[in-house]
Amino acid sequence: MARYLLDRMVQSVAVLAIMSVVIFWLMGLMPGDPIDLMISADPRLTPEDAARLRELHGLDLPISERYLNWLTAALSGNLGFSRLFAMPVLKAVLPALGNTVLLLGISFVLAVAIAFLSGIAAAMNQHRKLDYAINLLAFAAISIPSFWLALMMISLFSVTLGWLPASGTESVGGGGFLDKARFLVLPVLTLTIVSFGSHTRFVRASMIETLRQDYIRTARAKGAGEGRVVFRHALRNALIPVVTILALDFGFLFSGALIIETIFAYPGMGKLIFDAIMGNDYNLALVTLLFATALTLFCNLAADLAYAWLDPRISYTGDGA
Amino acid sequence: MSGGPALIEVEGLTKRFELRDPGLFGRSRGAVHALTDVDLRIARGETLAVVGESGCGKSTLAKCLAQLHAPTAGAIRFEGEDIFRAPGPARKAIRRRVQMVFQDPFGSLNPRMTAAEIIAEPLLIHRIGDASERNRRTAETASRVGLRAGDLGRYPHEFSGGQRQRIAIARAAILEPDLIIADEPLSALDVSVQSQILNLFMELRRQSGLTYVFISHDLGAVRHIADRIAVLYSGRIVEAGPAETLFAASRHPYTQSLIEAVPRPGAGKRLQWKTLGGDPPSAIDPPGGCAFHPRCPKVRDICRRERPRPAVQPDSAPGHASACHFAEELNAT
Amino acid sequence: MTAAAAAAPASSARHAWRRFARHRLAVASVLVLALLCLLAFSAPLFELALGTDSERVNLFSRLAPPSAQALLGTDELGRDMFLRLLEGGQVSLLVGLTAAVAAAVIGTFIGLVAGYFGGRFDAFLMRFTDGIIALPLLPLLIVLAAIDLDKLGIPAAIANSENISLYRIILIVALVGWTTVARLVRGAALSIREREYVQAAKVQGAGSWRIMRVHILPNLISPIIVATTLSVGNIILLESVLSFLGLGIQPPIPSWGNLLTNAQALISTAPLLAFYPGFLILLTVLAFNFLGDGLQDALDPRAVRRRA
Ligand SMILES: Nc1ncnc2c1ncn2[C@@H]1O[C@H](COP(=O)(O)OP(=O)(O)OP(=O)(O)O)[C@@H](O)[C@H]1O
Ligand SMILES: [Mg+2]
């Protein structure tokens, strides 16, 4: 187990390292470069000035050297300066990270809770009306464009009904807990809706598969009540594949967050990434993208461990074939 | 029979399957010892039967001979040329002369190809003839194996099991190979068609002097077709010799128990493995000493300690070797 | 999914059709998709009949309500919304299908090679797909979409051509969309390569490429069709969101995604402008998902039954 954990951690770090190279390289391919931006901001700069500035910032070096310079600085804690926010990158990232974790966390818990309730209900009523209805809803949720759903939510709850705010995190001048909660409702609701569909289908499929197994039949035959069968025997086993899939979906959840944060003007990582890319803030974009990647990898790792913990059959000393 | 020029010689053939954890850097978890130190000599025109119980390595031997598996150690020589050390073109040329018939006549035919396409495929692979030449040879081979020309446009699932095996045999025969390896070609068939297919094998051999390696788990079934028999146990050859000698005067307790399990006419209901208790040996961790010792009715101390080497006894028929410490004492006659 | 679909011989087509016909939502989806395509691709006919076109700006009737002249009203520049939706549909459907086919080709190739050769090569490729699946894709796609083609050394004539945003989005989406097909194909290829007919072909001396082409690929058609259909929906969603963010299909070429970009600003005054394109995306994606589900039931009866 320890060895397995180590293996997986090494792998995650390797992926992160590879991604840092890829992202760094992609950043270099973005339109313009920092010096161009300075020139357009200050027309008095001459081409000679520009060349000097390039040299000063190490931008005339080959990309491999630039990457190594960046990496050395980053590893010693210097992640650079955000042009857009005029502050150190880390200072811009941390609050956004908190906001995103809040948004994703609540939505994830809600989506999973709904998925379990509806997935189990559907599995226990296979081929009946309830099953069909849940499946239909799940399919609709999978197929809905998240940005459109967000716009429709705003149109209905903010514009037409005027119940909830459409953007931001709190009222002007600040507000209490309830005020902040009101701002979270629409983003959370949207993100929950677009992610519960596929989860529901996995829970349902996994549950149906488990309910078919022999030991479940045995438990039934021994006279265990249906509720007991489902919750004591089937659930734990159905949980195993579901956990992996939920975590694999984390990348998807993060993509959803990017869209939803952007539309609801919610200052989280997703919006930060988008703004950084669109605003040519290379330092910020690089770091936020890496943060997002690290976060996803971490969740995958956590899921793997949860899987190992849930499934007593896997010892990770292997029975390979 | 065994005196003719060797078509194939097998020397010290060993095949292990590494067991490794899935994944890129999966660790090794030991190995399956499918074949160990197998020596064989097959003369041109001879039919060698290989028998043994499930998991003893029969299919592995067949697949090594057919170049589907690369051996872990040892050599297979085809007309003196070491197959696995030969350059690519030479290997392909040998492939053309060594063909194989599989156990499951449904699984061994591509469900999306017609019988004619299946039979003609070897010609395409080796780029033999033009379309009309291929058609002619396909029709001719099909009729040799007893398939009706009108049926050749059909797909495998439209044929019966016996007919499917005929298609597989036609595919193996169309290149006019020297050697056909048949891996339990009868055992998936109805009893009623088994003898028809067996007769077909014998008929083809009579027509074109084929050499066969005929694999079976049933000693009785090969009695009529085999010139020589090799008995495989736990990946090793424990006894080999002329078919009639083996039946009449086996010198290995394992072979003897196989012979006893063969139903005799009028002996009533078949009692399989009557004399042979215990489980087949583990292929991952084979027993030390003589691999058969845990199940041998005649086991003694030395059997647990030392592995017997195949040897020809002074009073045995020529070419009859047995790997038993007490071979000279065991004479069924 | 794998073994059953692979073994299905040609003659089971009738059974498959019967199973498909039983899946009512899938049949309805076929009709919906056919209707959508028909409407979208007959846009020129509607233009002719209405005596206008989707690009004609009419500042005197901006944000007009539905009328006989403009069936779904007009947008902020007075353009006929109905015609804009049809034009956008053409683009979105074409881009979605093309990207899905491109993704299926890439995925089939990778899955086939990984499944057939197996071993470490397979382990490596699967790690790679796992890695891709686990990444936060949208942010990375946004970076890809924002890349300056000049810096990649692509000639300006191509980089600035009108349709470049179409090719670019197809490429980007296909680049990430192949993983579903690759995994399915790889699983099926892994099981088929153990079949005796593949072994038989090897004994005869067939090379790897011939075996993959003649013996494995034709037996993978069903899973490929199912996986491709199921991925069209996702790909259309991805395309639309990138276009919505201004990084996919660029105006003046209309697409359902970029029609929504303008509508966002007008959400309080003209909510219907935002409603239509999104609803059409939903309808299309839903139909493709139902269709895929139905095909899976029909072509792969042994898979776990999942009915909607
Ligand atoms: N590709 C493989 N990987 C790992 N182990 C294998 C492989 N092929 C065969 N084995 C193992 O090698 C041993 C010999 O197998 P083989 O198929 O040769 O037996 P067999 O005598 O043909 O049995 P049967 O009568 O069941 O066909 C078995 O223990 C089998 O599990
Ligand atoms: Mg076998």
Side-chain angles (χ1 to χ4, degrees):
Chain A
M1 184 70 204
R3 165 108 208 231
Y4 174 76
L5 180 65
L6 199 69
D7 268 16
R8 291 286 289 110
M9 271 160 65
V10 170
Q11 273 169 25
S12 302
V13 171
V15 173
L16 195 60
I18 294 172
M19 285 314 293
S20 77
V21 174
V22 171
I23 294 173
F24 193 89
W25 174 67
L26 288 176
M27 284 296 129
L29 293 174
M30 303 280 282
D33 73 23
I35 307 302
D36 289 343
L37 290 168
M38 283 189 206
I39 294 174
S40 61
D42 185 354
R44 280 168 308 169
L45 288 175
T46 61
E48 291 76 48
D49 293 334
R52 223 172 313 119
L53 275 171
R54 280 212 168 81
E55 205 181 311
L56 189 70
H57 286 85
L59 287 172
D60 52 345
L61 298 173
I63 185 158
S64 54
E65 265 176 66
R66 267 187 290 151
Y67 174 74
L68 287 180
N69 288 343
W70 173 83
L71 190 65
T72 334
L75 289 180
S76 64
N78 174 12
L79 292 175
F81 199 78
S82 161
R83 202 179 61 79
L84 221 51
F85 290 81
M87 56 168 88
V89 162
L90 208 55
K91 237 179 119 193
V93 168
L94 288 181
L97 195 61
N99 284 336
T100 291
V101 168
L102 189 67
L103 173 64
L104 290 189
I106 301 177
S107 312
F108 183 74
V109 169
L110 275 180
V112 169
I114 297 175
F116 267 94
L117 288 179
S118 53
I120 291 172
M124 289 175 69
N125 294 284
Q126 212 189 341
H127 299 313
R128 297 206 202 114
K129 282 227 169 62
L130 183 65
D131 181 28
Y132 283 72
I134 289 175
N135 237 319
L136 203 63
L137 272 182
F139 260 110
I142 292 171
S143 310
I144 214 164
S146 52
F147 57 102
W148 179 69
L149 182 65
L151 291 181
M152 292 297 108
M153 290 278 185
I154 292 177
S155 167
L156 181 63
F157 292 106
S158 306
V159 179
T160 310
L161 299 171
W163 289 354
L164 293 162
S167 66
T169 51
E170 56 184 22
S171 305
V172 189
F177 172 77
L178 267 183
D179 179 63
K180 285 186 176 144
R182 269 166 43 86
F183 280 85
L184 266 174
V185 173
L186 287 186
V188 163
L189 199 59
T190 312
L191 198 49
T192 307
I193 292 178
V194 295
S195 45
F196 94 92
S198 62
H199 298 172
T200 300
R201 280 173 53 76
F202 281 125
V203 172
R204 176 180 176 272
S206 177
M207 203 64 199
I208 287 176
E209 193 62 32
T210 317
L211 285 173
R212 264 201 218 126
Q213 311 271 312
D214 281 345
Y215 65 95
I216 298 292
R217 296 216 182 112
T218 316
R220 271 198 192 121
K222 281 189 185 153
E226 190 65 22
R228 195 184 151 83
V229 167
V230 168
F231 289 100
R232 283 246 357 216
H233 297 270
L235 199 54
R236 183 186 163 114
N237 288 284
L239 216 57
I240 294 168
V242 170
V243 164
T244 355
I245 284 160
L246 291 187
L248 275 181
D249 254 23
F250 189 83
F252 172 84
L253 199 63
F254 197 91
S255 299
L258 187 146
I259 303 163
I260 283 158
E261 289 177 0
T262 307
I263 294 178
F264 287 104
Y266 181 90
M269 286 291 283
K271 183 167 178 347
L272 199 59
I273 292 179
F274 186 67
D275 290 345
I277 295 172
M278 299 316 274
N280 292 322
D281 190 341
Y282 308 103
N283 287 341
L284 186 60
L286 186 57
V287 172
T288 45
L289 281 168
L290 279 176
F291 258 79
T293 309
L295 204 60
T296 324
L297 289 173
F298 175 77
C299 286
N300 288 326
L301 190 62
D304 265 7
L305 296 184
Y307 188 81
W309 174 68
L310 275 170
D311 190 349
R313 283 166 303 185
I314 297 185
S315 62
Y316 291 101
T317 49
D319 55 349
Chain B
M1 269 294 187
S2 58
L7 182 66
I8 284 216
E9 278 169 303
V10 175
E11 210 178 279
L13 181 65
T14 299
K15 177 70 190 173
R16 277 194 290 273
F17 293 104
E18 288 287 327
L19 298 178
R20 96 174 30 258
D21 284 351
L24 196 50
F25 304 107
R27 280 174 296 272
S28 176
R29 300 282 177 211
V32 174
H33 298 253
L35 286 178
T36 310
D37 215 1
V38 168
D39 294 326
L40 276 175
R41 186 173 178 285
I42 306 164
R44 184 178 284 283
E46 172 182 81
T47 295
L48 173 78
V50 178
V51 297
E53 65 195 333
S54 183
C56 70
K58 305 182 298 290
S59 297
T60 306
L61 176 59
K63 286 177 179 175
C64 286
L65 290 173
Q67 301 184 49
L68 283 175
H69 286 327
T72 311
I76 299 176
R77 276 188 287 276
F78 186 87
E79 290 184 337
E81 177 154 28
D82 189 336
I83 299 182
F84 291 94
R85 285 181 192 83
R91 283 182 69 167
K92 190 159 178 180
I94 294 174
R95 282 215 148 102
R96 190 174 155 178
R97 299 170 61 188
V98 177
Q99 290 294 313
M100 185 158 170
V101 175
F102 293 84
Q103 172 173 0
D104 174 6
F106 196 49
S108 66
L109 306 179
N110 186 338
R112 295 195 188 251
M113 290 168 80
T114 64
E117 285 167 347
I118 291 169
I119 297 173
E121 204 196 358
L123 299 177
L124 277 173
I125 290 170
H126 292 279
R127 302 208 170 82
I128 296 170
D130 54 12
S132 70
E133 159 80 358
R134 286 197 293 268
N135 285 341
R136 189 185 60 70
R137 278 180 73 166
T138 304
E140 181 196 275
T141 313
S143 86
R144 271 177 75 198
V145 301
L147 287 168
R148 281 205 316 245
D151 290 344
L152 293 183
R154 299 194 189 190
Y155 288 89
H157 69 271
E158 298 174 272
F159 290 94
S160 70
Q163 282 174 311
R164 279 184 222 137
Q165 201 58 302
R166 285 177 198 271
I167 297 173
I169 293 170
R171 172 177 61 189
I174 195 166
L175 291 174
E176 316 218 315
D178 297 277
L179 173 68
I180 290 184
I181 301 154
D183 186 0
E184 308 208 32
L186 307 180
S187 54
L189 304 178
D190 285 346
V191 183
S192 55
V193 288
Q194 283 185 356
S195 59
Q196 292 172 20
I197 298 296
L198 193 62
N199 286 335
L200 175 59
F201 273 107
M202 297 208 266
E203 177 65 20
L204 287 177
R205 179 174 66 180
R206 201 182 51 72
Q207 287 170 6
S208 38
L210 275 165
T211 307
Y212 286 136
V213 171
F214 201 95
I215 289 173
S216 175
H217 60 265
D218 180 358
L219 195 53
V222 299
R223 188 167 190 167
H224 300 291
I225 194 171
D227 300 313
R228 279 160 47 78
I229 295 177
V231 180
L232 213 51
Y233 187 82
S234 187
R236 293 170 189 269
I237 292 186
V238 293
E239 188 171 18
E244 281 320 310
T245 315
L246 225 69
F247 271 97
S250 162
R251 293 198 132 166
H252 197 284
Y254 178 61
T255 316
Q256 290 178 353
S257 68
L258 289 182
I259 293 171
E260 271 173 64
V262 172
R264 263 158 293 236
K269 203 167 179 290
R270 172 175 189 165
L271 290 171
Q272 210 171 1
W273 308 123
K274 186 192 72 180
T275 50
L276 195 57
D279 297 321
S282 155
I284 297 177
D285 186 17
C290 172
F292 188 53
H293 84 252
R295 300 162 85 189
C296 185
K298 312 212 159 85
V299 61
R300 285 183 227 170
D301 247 8
I302 184 174
C303 305
R304 299 192 181 90
R305 281 182 282 111
E306 243 173 79
R307 186 183 303 287
R309 302 213 40 93
V312 180
Q313 299 306 317
D315 58 338
S316 291
H320 177 192
S322 159
C324 175
H325 290 299
F326 307 103
E328 79 271 29
E329 296 171 22
L330 292 169
N331 200 333
T333 43
Chain C
M1 148 116 269
T2 57
S11 89
S12 66
R14 218 174 322 126
H15 291 280
W17 169 245
R18 225 174 286 146
R19 277 192 300 270
F20 183 77
R22 244 185 302 155
H23 199 306
R24 265 169 288 160
L25 282 170
V27 177
S29 297
V30 174
L31 296 180
V32 166
L33 288 174
L35 190 69
L36 277 174
C37 289
L38 196 72
L39 276 174
F41 290 95
S42 52
L45 294 181
F46 284 101
E47 291 185 343
L48 221 60
L50 295 168
T52 179
D53 67 56
S54 65
E55 280 154 36
R56 181 178 302 166
V57 172
N58 180 353
L59 296 179
F60 293 110
S61 71
R62 289 155 51 170
L63 301 177
S67 67
Q69 186 43 229
L71 295 175
L72 296 175
T74 60
D75 70 1
E76 73 280 7
L77 294 177
R79 290 173 295 194
D80 184 323
M81 200 55 200
F82 177 66
L83 293 179
R84 302 260 298 152
L85 284 171
L86 296 190
E87 297 270 345
Q90 274 183 26
V91 175
S92 290
L93 286 169
L94 266 181
V95 167
L97 287 173
T98 316
V101 170
V105 170
I106 301 174
T108 300
F109 180 77
I110 292 181
L112 191 61
V113 170
Y116 179 74
F117 289 107
R120 295 199 171 211
F121 185 64
D122 170 47
F124 174 76
L125 275 178
M126 283 305 113
R127 260 292 130 67
F128 187 69
T129 36
D130 276 352
I132 289 204
I133 290 173
L135 292 175
L137 277 185
L138 190 61
L140 293 172
L141 288 185
I142 289 177
V143 176
L144 284 184
I147 282 180
D148 187 350
L149 293 181
D150 278 344
K151 291 197 181 175
L152 272 180
I154 291 172
I158 300 177
N160 299 327
S161 70
E162 194 185 328
N163 285 336
I164 189 73
S165 69
L166 290 185
Y167 305 136
R168 185 177 180 136
I169 187 87
I170 288 175
L171 192 73
I172 288 178
V173 171
L175 225 53
V176 297
W178 56 268
T179 48
T180 330
V181 177
R183 311 195 123 256
L184 277 167
V185 166
R186 177 254 181 189
L190 211 56
S191 90
I192 291 179
R193 77 166 178 165
E194 298 301 328
R195 298 284 164 86
E196 283 189 339
Y197 59 80
V198 173
Q199 310 268 316
K202 279 191 201 162
V203 175
Q204 290 152 27
S208 300
W209 293 112
R210 183 184 167 85
I211 291 177
M212 283 192 250
R213 187 167 50 80
V214 177
H215 294 287
I216 299 192
L217 197 55
N219 288 299
L220 287 175
I221 296 297
S222 311
I224 292 174
I225 290 177
V226 171
T228 308
T229 314
L230 284 172
S231 67
V232 174
N234 275 333
I235 283 178
I236 290 183
L237 281 180
L238 207 52
E239 178 271 307
S240 68
V241 74
L242 285 174
S243 297
F244 169 74
L245 293 173
L247 291 160
I249 297 164
Q250 303 291 338
I253 304 175
S255 81
W256 287 338
N258 70 25
L259 286 182
L260 272 157
T261 317
N262 292 339
Q264 184 186 7
L266 299 164
I267 192 76
S268 49
T269 44
L272 277 180
L273 286 192
F275 175 78
Y276 298 129
F279 181 73
L280 289 178
I281 298 171
L282 170 62
L283 199 63
T284 311
V285 174
L286 196 58
F288 272 111
N289 283 341
F290 281 142
L291 181 59
D293 199 49
L295 285 175
Q296 183 153 39
D297 273 0
L299 297 174
D300 192 7
R302 269 181 270 174
V304 181
R305 281 228 173 283
R306 289 176 302 184
R307 278 282 167 79

